[in-house]
Amino acid sequence: MTNTNLPDSFAGLTPELVLDAVDSSGLRSDGRMLALNSYENRVYQIGIEDDVPVVVKFYRPLRWTDTAINEEHDFVRELLQHEIPVVGAMQAADGSSLRHYQGFRFALFARQSGRAPETGDAATLEWLGRFIGRIHAVGALAVYHERPAINPETFGVQPRAWLLAHDFIPPDLLPAYESVSRQALDGIQRCYERAGALQPLRLHGDCHLGNVLWLESGPQAGPHFVDFDDSRMGPGIQDLWMLLSGDRQDMQRQLTDILAGYEDFFEFDSRQLYLIEALRTLRLIHYSAWLAQRWSDPAFPAAFPWFNSQRYWQDRILELREQVALMEEVPLWPV
């Protein structure tokens, strides 16, 4: 489905429009509004008369089609039906969850509290692994038709080409970036060849610790997965590698703990271990292009003042050189 008559930026998203949009859903806002940490979209906590606050997300214009957003909402509802602790968009009386107001598209969510998980604790990692395994077991039951996949083309070739074509890289550093990013893409391709054909599945897509909220006690104690906005098709390891940190030994231990829970619900193909550094490298290339493509949004220069400086691109070149070497190392354990 192609969107029409959408604004091309958030410029018209005033506080009054935000509150009016919430009121248009049938809720009665009390005027309290707190901007939450989000750059891709605009997200606010809104006070509701005689009720608990809600969270409203306004989707970045022109990023996703309505169909792609609804695919994500449907997947999260499917996870909720399997009693997996995720936060899904609230449904209107007609069953829809994507709402429209004066050209903007938005969704409402229950407010979810919690803290970041403690990744130094083996039991916590195993608990996380169990629920990610359950997410993937459901994710493997169907495919996305509208949302793109995470692969070397979408997260590597395309963003690199965009950066090289739009004059963001300083001229004196352009040859070095062009060369090392080409080496990185070659290394990524070799990693994928070693891994062989892997079955993609519907993923969270951006499963870092900021998108996992941990409740300490009560009937809902444990992890709650939020913000499926970057959900795509891809290899299951995409939702695991961002939980790993530290040196090689630390990551081996952490992944062992995660998989102890994960494999209770979904089989882990060990060939995916070849993709950890490849996916990390793809994320680095994609992230630079993501910042560059949104640089005209006033929120980005304010939030990322270090981007697009000489030092920034020097650091990215060194980072990619390190990744080229890491992608040639053996996996965390023998495959």
Side-chain angles (χ1 to χ4, degrees):
M1 176 179 177
T2 301
N3 298 317
T4 58
N5 301 319
L6 292 180
D8 59 4
S9 75
F10 287 118
L13 188 64
T14 63
E16 293 78 13
L17 190 149
V18 170
L19 296 175
D20 288 345
V22 173
D23 288 346
S24 76
S25 71
L27 298 175
R28 295 290 298 171
S29 62
D30 61 13
R32 291 176 298 159
M33 181 169 65
L34 174 65
L36 301 180
N37 186 28
S38 178
Y39 300 107
E40 183 69 335
N41 303 299
R42 294 293 185 268
V43 183
Y44 306 92
Q45 179 178 293
I46 304 296
I48 301 298
E49 289 185 1
D50 303 319
D51 209 340
V52 296
V54 299
V55 172
V56 58
K57 176 196 289 184
F58 287 85
Y59 290 92
R60 177 168 291 275
L62 308 180
R63 182 186 181 218
W64 295 121
T65 64
D66 287 6
T67 304
I69 296 173
N70 282 320
E71 277 191 325
E72 174 225 324
H73 289 189
D74 291 345
F75 177 39
V76 176
R77 275 197 294 274
E78 194 177 349
L79 295 173
L80 286 167
Q81 289 166 3
H82 286 79
E83 300 182 342
I84 298 171
V86 296
V87 179
M90 297 177 180
Q91 290 180 274
D94 63 0
S96 63
S97 51
L98 178 60
R99 305 162 192 259
H100 299 76
Y101 188 78
Q102 294 191 13
F104 288 98
R105 297 168 301 160
F106 71 100
L108 297 166
F109 301 84
R111 182 181 60 174
Q112 176 65 55
S113 60
R115 60 164 177 80
E118 296 289 343
T119 58
D121 179 60
T124 295
L125 290 173
E126 185 174 345
W127 201 340
L128 282 170
R130 284 198 297 272
F131 279 115
I132 296 174
R134 291 180 63 190
I135 290 171
H136 288 181
V138 175
L141 297 177
V143 300
Y144 282 141
H145 297 285
E146 185 79 8
R147 288 181 162 251
I150 295 174
N151 58 40
E153 177 68 24
T154 59
F155 265 52
V157 174
Q158 292 175 11
R160 174 182 181 269
W162 195 95
L163 285 170
L164 295 178
H166 286 82
D167 300 325
F168 271 85
I169 303 165
D172 59 316
L173 297 178
L174 184 59
Y177 185 86
E178 190 168 14
S179 173
V180 73
S181 59
R182 168 52 59 193
Q183 293 175 44
L185 289 180
D186 291 343
I188 290 164
Q189 187 60 41
R190 288 192 294 273
C191 289
Y192 270 78
E193 289 170 356
R194 294 185 197 112
L198 296 168
Q199 186 65 39
L201 49 93
R202 291 175 296 173
L203 305 164
H204 182 287
D206 194 27
C207 197
H208 57 75
L209 293 177
N211 282 332
V212 183
L213 298 177
W214 194 274
L215 295 184
E216 293 290 351
S217 59
Q220 294 185 318
H224 291 254
F225 296 83
V226 301
D227 195 4
F228 280 71
D229 193 58
D230 288 303
S231 182
R232 300 172 183 242
M233 299 290 293
I237 193 69
Q238 171 65 21
D239 282 348
L240 303 179
W241 74 262
M242 276 186 278
L243 301 176
L244 310 179
S245 62
D247 60 23
R248 183 182 178 86
Q249 186 174 5
D250 290 334
M251 291 192 290
Q252 287 174 331
R253 176 187 55 78
Q254 292 159 5
L255 187 57
T256 298
D257 293 335
I258 291 169
L259 291 179
Y262 183 92
E263 292 199 294
D264 285 344
F265 295 95
F266 197 68
E267 182 180 358
F268 180 77
D269 187 335
S270 63
R271 294 178 299 157
Q272 294 181 81
L273 295 174
Y274 285 117
L275 299 184
I276 290 178
E277 293 304 330
L279 288 166
R280 194 190 310 276
T281 307
L282 287 172
R283 186 173 176 86
L284 294 172
I285 297 171
H286 182 268
Y287 184 69
S288 291
W290 177 74
L291 289 171
Q293 290 166 349
R294 282 143 179 76
W295 203 237
S296 60
D297 181 337
F300 276 70
F304 306 100
W306 37 261
F307 174 70
N308 210 33
S309 63
Q310 190 85 2
R311 176 63 180 272
Y312 174 84
W313 291 109
Q314 289 173 340
D315 288 347
R316 298 295 74 74
I317 290 167
L318 291 174
E319 195 172 50
L320 287 177
R321 284 176 179 159
E322 292 173 357
Q323 286 303 120
V324 168
L326 286 171
M327 285 188 287
E328 295 304 316
E329 293 188 1
V330 296
L332 289 180
W333 58 72
V335 176

